[in-house]
Amino acid sequence: MTHFLDIHKTDPADLRHMIDHAGAMKTARQGRPKGAPDDEQPLAGHMVALIFEKPSTRTRVSFDVGVRQMGGQTMVLSGSDMQLGHGENIADTARVLSRYVDLIMIRTFDEDVLLELAEYASVPVINGLTDRTHPCQIMADILTFEEHRGPIKGKKVVWTGDGNNVCASFLHAAGQFGFDLTFTGPSQLDPEEVFMNEARAKGSKIIIERDAFKAVEGADLVVADTWVSMHDAQSAKERRHNMLRPYQVNEELMSHAKPDALFMHCLPAHREEEATSAVMDGPNSVIFDEAENRLHAQKAVMRWCLGV
């Protein structure tokens, strides 16, 4: 079964094919209305289940629109609709859904939910996000970087702030696509050691640098993400702000990177916290290209999973 669970679990040649395919599909749609179908309708007759235990804007809309553009249909389900793992165990849910749909995308909290769903499903499963990783976002980020600056291989990416799930997938991508990554943030929020070591084992240079200004020297890409989750208590938010304030991406920090260094943020953003509006709306920012490219990258992922 061809699942898309994590970047480091997918063959580099397949990842490259998906990025190139995504770019070709995006180019083919230039000048068309957003709702117009693709010339090819590879998902015609296919039903895709989109499961959301976590709320979503970009993931929900981009997957739904992508399926429709390719001629398929979607069934959007919330965690409360399904009582996933509560009213019925995950293995049985996977078996039942596989009788109804051709593909399952799930956005959930616990990585074990994703893995168990994939283990027992007889149709492909896509990781739309877990608390541990976010591979679809990074596929969009790779596509975005290469649109603007060419191949990412050998480039320097700097992650600022919290070594969270998006950072984890960036580390996976470093090993698979052959770029280097520097993490700058407080020690309490370092990425998982296992993810850093996996990338190093594949030849990528992975560094932790506490001084944000030193970290961004020579950077081709600077990436930020939110400092707090919507689920964090107020006291936790205040502690995080105190820890992360030295890692805000502002114009002064970006001036220490390469002059043409891109800035990315997967959104939603808390402006003037992890990054300033001057950077987010500045000439080096590609955050809205990045958001659009979720659509194109995920279409390529779905086609790869289904072999169409």
Side-chain angles (χ1 to χ4, degrees):
M1 189 57 57
T2 308
H3 301 304
F4 186 73
L5 303 181
D6 273 313
I7 288 174
H8 68 309
K9 296 177 180 178
T10 308
D11 186 84
D14 290 330
L15 294 169
R16 171 48 55 193
H17 170 76
M18 285 183 258
I19 294 294
D20 293 344
H21 199 182
M25 286 190 287
K26 180 177 182 178
T27 298
R29 286 198 61 82
Q30 287 179 355
R32 295 188 179 200
K34 303 298 187 295
D38 291 351
D39 285 336
E40 291 185 87
Q41 294 284 276
L43 265 62
H46 289 77
M47 177 64 72
V48 179
L50 307 177
I51 303 173
F52 294 93
E53 288 200 295
K54 277 192 171 186
S56 168
T57 299
R58 275 151 293 280
T59 300
R60 177 168 180 165
V61 176
S62 57
F63 266 106
D64 199 347
V65 170
V67 172
R68 293 167 189 250
Q69 286 181 352
M70 295 190 292
Q73 298 184 64
T74 61
M75 177 181 295
V76 180
L77 302 164
S78 71
S80 59
D81 290 332
M82 303 182 65
Q83 297 184 347
L84 191 65
H86 302 291
E88 179 177 58
N89 68 42
I90 295 164
D92 286 352
T93 298
R95 294 182 179 108
V96 170
L97 280 179
S98 297
R99 300 296 181 101
Y100 301 143
V101 304
D102 302 289
L103 177 66
I104 300 168
M105 187 288 303
I106 183 167
R107 181 180 173 94
T108 188
F109 294 90
D110 189 344
E111 182 184 56
D112 288 342
V113 173
L114 167 76
L115 297 178
E116 187 172 355
L117 192 72
E119 180 180 357
Y120 290 97
S122 56
V123 299
V125 173
I126 294 173
N127 177 1
L129 175 140
T130 70
D131 285 345
R132 202 166 184 223
T133 60
H134 195 2
C136 288
Q137 178 63 56
I138 305 310
M139 294 295 284
D141 293 354
I142 301 296
L143 174 62
T144 305
F145 183 90
E146 295 196 341
E147 281 181 337
H148 289 269
R149 297 291 185 263
I152 197 168
K153 184 174 182 178
K155 301 298 186 181
K156 178 181 178 180
V157 174
V158 177
W159 180 275
T160 67
D162 181 0
N164 62 12
N165 54 352
V166 186
C167 180
S169 287
F170 244 122
L171 285 165
H172 290 159
Q176 298 292 70
F177 286 95
F179 59 86
D180 301 326
L181 189 143
T182 296
F183 171 81
T184 186
S187 59
Q188 301 95 316
L189 300 176
D190 280 351
E192 290 187 42
E193 191 73 28
V194 65
F195 295 152
M196 293 190 286
N197 288 338
E198 285 171 350
R200 288 172 180 141
K202 293 174 181 176
S204 295
K205 187 177 181 181
I206 307 299
I207 294 173
I208 293 179
E209 172 55 68
R210 302 296 175 203
D211 185 322
F213 292 95
K214 288 182 181 178
V216 301
E217 290 176 0
D220 298 286
L221 170 63
V222 179
V223 190
D225 198 1
T226 53
W227 288 350
V228 297
S229 166
M230 67 181 73
H231 307 290
D232 289 338
Q234 185 60 37
S235 58
K237 291 178 181 180
E238 291 172 1
R239 287 195 301 273
R240 277 178 165 260
H241 277 87
N242 290 335
M243 283 194 296
L244 289 162
R245 196 165 286 114
Y247 301 98
Q248 182 191 68
V249 182
N250 49 42
E251 288 178 295
E252 183 182 5
L253 185 66
M254 287 296 293
S255 72
H256 286 71
K258 286 184 178 178
D260 65 346
L262 297 178
F263 171 74
M264 289 189 189
H265 189 304
C266 67
L267 303 179
H270 297 91
R271 287 172 177 258
E272 313 310 326
E273 292 184 9
E274 65 269 9
T276 61
S277 290
V279 170
M280 295 182 67
D281 298 327
N284 292 28
S285 173
V286 290
I287 60 175
F288 296 111
D289 290 342
E290 184 185 2
E292 178 190 347
N293 282 339
R294 288 288 301 277
L295 169 65
H296 308 295
Q298 288 162 185
K299 286 167 69 174
V301 170
M302 288 188 281
R303 293 189 68 170
W304 175 77
C305 286
L306 290 169
V308 294

